[in-house]
Each structure stands twice: as C-alpha cells, then as structure tokens.
Amino acid sequence: MCGVFGAYSKNDYVAEEVYLGLLALQHRGQESAGVAWIDSFGRVNAVKGMGLVYEALDQKVLSKTTVTAAIGHVRYSTAGGSMLQNAQPICANYAQGPVAIAHNGNLTNLDDLRTSLEARGAIFQSTSDTEAILHLVAHQTEKSPLEALLYALDQTRGAFSLVVLLEEGLVAARDPWGFRPLALGKRGDNYYVASESCAFSLIGATLVRDIEPGEVLLINEKGLTSFHLTTESGRGWLCSFEFVYFARPDSVIEGRSVYRARQEMGRRLAMGIGGEGCFSEMNASDADFVAYLPDSGTTAAIGYAEGSGLPFEAAVVRNRYVGRTFIQPTQRVRELGVRIKLSPSEAIFSGKSAILVDDSLVRGTTAGLVVAMIRECDARALHLRISSPPVRYPCYYGIDTPSRGELVAAQHSLEEIASSVGADSLYYLGKEGMIDAIGLPGNSLCTACFDGLYLDERDRESVCGFHNSQILRAENLT
Ligand code: SF4
C-alpha cells in the first residue's frame, strides 16, 4: 500500500503542498517518501528519503522550491525491497523529455514486462514494478510522452493508481479495474490528485470526483483533458479492504464515507446480520461494554455499541508515538510493537465482561497479544468481534497481506482461532454484510482476500502473467 499526491497550478508554487498532502497520506506508507518536479531547464528533479515524511523530506527546502507542478509518494513496499533505491517518485530524462512517476498498486504482469524489456536492452535500477512503466514509456521514442504513457499503461495489468509528471503537465491514471482509489481535488484554479480525499482538506482543497477506472487525466494550462485506456474491465474491482482498514475514516471513496461504512460494519456485526462465528460455553449476552483495538477498530466499535445498545469504553489505550504494527516488516518487531503500542486499562476491564472490536484479523498476532494483556487485567470474559470477513487469501493488488501459510483464517477453523487468541467467543461480519455496509454494488468491489475470487487465476500463484479476465473460484484450485 502506498500513497500518491500531485499538484498543478498556473500561478502558485506547489512543492510544499505536496509535502503537506503526503503528511495526510502517511498512514498509507511509512518506509520512504519523495517529491519530484520538472525544473525551469526542463529536467526532472527529486528529493527522497527513508522513514516518515518529516524525516525523509525537508519542508523548508520544498517551501522554497519554485515549481507550479509536482508529485509525491509515501511508500510501503509490496513489490521490491525497503530501500532508498526503491523510493518514489521514479524519475528519468529520456529522449522525449523528463518523466516522473509515483505509483500505488502492484502490476501483476511484471515478470513478463521485465523479461520483454530486458530483451530489448532495458537495465533496471530497482526491483520496483513502477520502473517497468518508465521503461515502457522510454522505449516509445517516436511517440509524445503522453502517447507513450498511454501505450505503456495499456501494456500493464493489475493495480495502478498513478500520478505522473510530463512536459505536457500533471497526469493522473487509474487501472481499468479501479483497484486502488484516486481522487481529484480543487482549490481556486489549482488542481490536486491524491490517493484519498483526506489529503485535500489539509491544503484547503475540496474533492471534485474520483478518477474513473481506466481514465488518464491530463492537467495543464488548458485545463482537464480525459483519455481512456483500451482494456475492457467488465466490472469494477475497487478494494473493499480500503473501507475496512486502509483508508483514513475522513476520506470519501466513490461517494461513500469510509467512516460511515466502518460504523455500519460494526452496527451490522452487533445485529448478527450475515456473519459467521463460534462461541464457547459463553456468548456475549453477559457483556458490560464495547471496547476497541485502537485506532483501526474504533469506528466499527462505535457502530457496534450503537447496534448492541451497550456502552462504549476507550478501554485500550494507544501510545501515539509509535507507528502501525501492520506496517512493520518483521514478525518479531510486530509482536514487540503491540506491547509497546497498546495498553488495556485494568480499572475498566477488571471483573467485567467485554466485547473487543477490531476491523480485521490477519495473522491474529495483535489480537492474541491484546487479549492476553486484557486477561492479565482480570476481565471476567472477553468476546472478540471482527468487522470484516475472515481473511483467507493473499492480495496481489498492492496490499502486503501475508501468504496463506501466515493467514490465521486460512489455516485454522474459527474454533481454533478463538482458542488460539484466547477469546471466549469470536464472531466475524459476513461478506454480504460488509458489502452492504460499504454501500456499493458487490460487482464493483474486489473481495478476493475474503473469498478467493481473483481477477485472474494466475494472480494467486504469482504476480506474473495475465490472460483474458477470468473469474475463478480459488477454492477449486489447489
Ligand atoms: S485482495 Fe483484498 S486487499 Fe487486495 S485489492 Fe482485493 S479486497 Fe483489497
């Protein structure tokens, strides 16, 4: 998962606004950050660094950078290692001019593209899939940069939400399936493009609309010009997990408030609409209150409290000065990170029966550790509620979910999961309940990590190769 941000103005200098936009998108990636622009000599420039936006970039330097178009990126690696070499935007000055690309998503035909490009003499500087797009552009020297970009994107398969800088202007592009969100914002005559609409409010801009799946939008002194890629998608594949966990709750995606969707997931979970679960000898009827795993479970827990009529307690305290454990690269760091980050309040849990709400259960590590810590607070009973379906399949479209071997719901029955995390009962929201809570048609959403319904059968084996878009049930595949 990554975040991208682009800004275009006829008059204002925008490099600092890109920095601010990246700050608002920090939750989408914490490994590296970068900003790129084209200078007055027509050459592409970039500043990049490892770590959080404020560590990787110098706001003062960017505030003095006198450019009217710029793009930026925050990265969490899903293809290519965590190293400065792979930090984005990726930039080049090729025969037809400068180009800079910032990418959110994963290309699923990267191996095919690399093989074919290397056979034509391309030398890759990084292991990032975004570089393949750059090479595809650079090989089309007979075309204008924009024509070359349109050609390149028509060769790629999988997930991409891009911001690109060319001499022609700022370009926003979204894959034909629309896996990852990408939004257009405006303030006065200035235009902005961001992975999520939450980035607009920080700079006083407002959401205009989503970039459409398959749309390539050019923003320059002539205004907005929209192009469309040739690949037919058949249906939409917007990531449902954006609504469950990834997106910030104050974002709006495809007209749906992420906050309202999460709240409704919690409410439906409380009402037992279409869920699945297991109960030991105890059920949740003795519960005294609803608590949440901060911060991702917060909004669903508010909805659960509404749906159940139980009081809501902020009974697990988060240390706000450490990052998200899901984003930490190793299991060992993740486990230690949970203890550093989360602390249940003994004064609230002692002697009480609590419902603990989280948005998802991926490895089960965080929930297991928190449940153990709550047990140490002498809780009478603890019921775990998950406001999304069991995650049983990996993602190949830009989210770093683990392999099936590490996904707790792929390896264990619900009874085994409840027992292993130490909960008295465990209940998940069902897929239909989640889709209804999001409020978009089911055939416009990707739910592959829940049901194994991938865009293409080969996506589940590797992120290479694509043929006609077939929807196959992964359950039927070995
Ligand atoms: S597989 Fe899951 S995480 Fe990946 S795009 Fe689909 S819904 Fe999102």
Side-chain angles (χ1 to χ4, degrees):
M1 183 173 69
C2 298
V4 299
F5 191 90
Y8 178 87
S9 173
K10 286 181 187 166
N11 308 305
D12 299 337
Y13 298 138
V14 297
E16 187 180 16
E17 289 189 316
V18 173
Y19 175 93
L20 296 172
L22 295 181
L23 279 182
L25 297 173
Q26 186 76 83
H27 60 289
R28 298 187 71 87
Q30 301 171 339
E31 288 183 13
S32 65
V35 175
W37 62 90
I38 295 170
D39 66 22
S40 54
F41 302 103
R43 286 191 302 264
V44 67
N45 286 265
V47 287
K48 304 180 205 176
M50 298 301 290
L52 300 173
V53 172
Y54 76 88
E55 298 167 320
L57 303 172
D58 188 332
Q59 185 180 358
K60 275 191 193 150
V61 169
L62 289 167
S63 70
K64 292 176 188 147
T65 304
T66 52
V67 291
T68 55
I71 62 171
H73 188 268
V74 286
R75 181 166 194 262
Y76 173 68
S77 57
T78 52
S82 175
M83 58 188 86
L84 187 58
Q85 228 173 1
N86 284 333
Q88 295 194 23
I90 290 183
C91 307
N93 296 291
Y94 80 112
Q96 292 295 336
V99 55
I101 303 177
H103 176 195
N104 176 208
N106 264 17
L107 300 185
T108 50
N109 63 338
L110 176 63
D111 285 359
D112 288 351
L113 291 175
R114 273 188 87 116
T115 303
S116 133
L117 284 161
E118 282 170 351
R120 285 188 275 157
I123 298 169
F124 281 79
Q125 309 252 335
S126 73
T127 52
S128 150
D129 52 357
T130 314
E131 196 181 348
I133 300 172
L134 195 60
H135 281 292
L136 283 167
V137 170
H139 275 77
Q140 300 302 309
T141 49
E142 76 288 357
K143 295 183 169 72
S144 73
L146 181 63
E147 288 168 346
L149 179 67
L150 288 164
Y151 167 84
L153 296 181
D154 267 330
Q155 312 307 306
T156 61
R157 297 292 181 269
F160 59 83
S161 281
L162 304 176
V163 287
V164 182
L165 268 186
L166 304 171
E167 267 184 342
E168 289 110 314
L170 170 67
V171 179
R174 200 165 164 215
D175 66 70
W177 303 275
F179 280 105
R180 309 255 71 86
L182 193 62
L184 175 70
K186 193 169 193 266
R187 191 194 66 228
D189 291 334
N190 295 0
Y191 284 100
Y192 304 92
V193 180
S195 291
E196 291 180 42
S197 63
C198 66
F200 297 143
S201 54
L202 186 61
I203 52 168
T206 51
L207 172 65
V208 175
R209 65 174 175 87
D210 296 277
I211 305 296
E212 292 169 20
E215 182 180 9
V216 178
L217 183 69
L218 173 66
I219 306 169
N220 59 19
E221 68 283 354
K222 294 177 188 152
L224 307 181
T225 313
S226 195
F227 303 86
H228 287 273
L229 299 175
T230 59
T231 307
E232 292 291 332
S233 62
R235 48 156 284 198
W237 288 81
L238 174 62
C239 173
S240 55
F241 223 108
E242 293 277 354
F243 290 95
V244 170
Y245 172 80
F246 296 117
R248 241 172 64 165
D250 53 336
S251 287
V252 172
I253 304 173
E254 304 286 354
R256 290 292 297 153
S257 153
V258 173
Y259 181 96
R260 290 286 178 228
R262 277 182 202 160
Q263 186 183 30
E264 185 61 16
M265 286 174 203
R267 203 180 65 81
R268 284 169 183 266
L269 181 64
M271 297 169 77
I273 301 172
E276 58 177 309
C278 73
F279 303 89
S280 60
E281 66 276 7
M282 302 183 80
N283 60 36
S285 59
D286 68 333
D288 296 303
F289 63 87
V290 177
Y292 63 94
L293 269 179
D295 286 324
S296 55
T298 310
T299 316
I302 290 169
Y304 195 102
E306 285 171 9
S308 64
L310 290 167
F312 174 81
E313 297 275 16
V316 180
V317 176
R318 180 176 178 220
N319 179 344
R320 303 204 166 273
Y321 304 98
V322 290
R324 283 180 162 194
T325 53
F326 187 86
I327 285 177
Q328 302 295 327
T330 69
Q331 182 77 4
R332 191 165 173 277
V333 173
R334 183 176 293 106
E335 288 180 13
L336 183 59
V338 173
R339 286 209 170 260
I340 294 169
K341 192 175 79 170
L342 299 175
S343 176
S345 167
E346 186 172 356
I348 300 175
F349 279 110
S350 180
K352 294 290 191 330
S353 171
I355 286 173
L356 185 66
V357 179
D358 201 3
D359 62 278
S360 56
L361 209 54
V362 180
R363 294 178 179 85
T365 316
T366 302
L369 284 166
V370 173
V371 169
M373 288 191 281
I374 293 173
R375 293 285 187 204
E376 289 165 15
C377 297
D378 290 329
R380 191 174 81 247
L382 196 63
H383 306 283
L384 187 58
R385 298 292 179 265
I386 307 298
S387 61
S388 63
V391 178
R392 295 193 166 106
Y393 303 92
C395 173
Y396 303 111
Y397 309 120
I399 299 298
D400 186 40
T401 49
S403 66
R404 285 206 79 191
E406 296 171 273
L407 292 171
V408 67
Q411 301 300 319
H412 300 283
S413 68
L414 299 186
E415 288 77 10
E416 288 169 342
I417 298 170
S419 166
S420 72
V421 299
D424 292 296
S425 71
L426 171 66
Y427 203 80
Y428 287 89
L429 182 65
K431 187 177 95 173
E432 295 312 317
M434 176 187 72
I435 291 170
D436 289 346
I438 292 171
L440 294 171
N443 66 2
S444 69
L445 294 167
C446 176
T447 52
C449 51
F450 304 117
D451 57 18
L453 289 166
Y454 292 108
L455 178 65
D456 187 283
E457 65 173 297
R458 282 182 288 179
D459 294 355
R460 63 184 293 277
E461 296 302 332
S462 68
V463 286
C464 80
F466 242 69
H467 49 85
N468 293 333
S469 295
Q470 292 174 289
I471 301 170
L472 298 180
R473 291 202 71 84
E475 291 93 318
N476 296 331
L477 304 171
T478 54

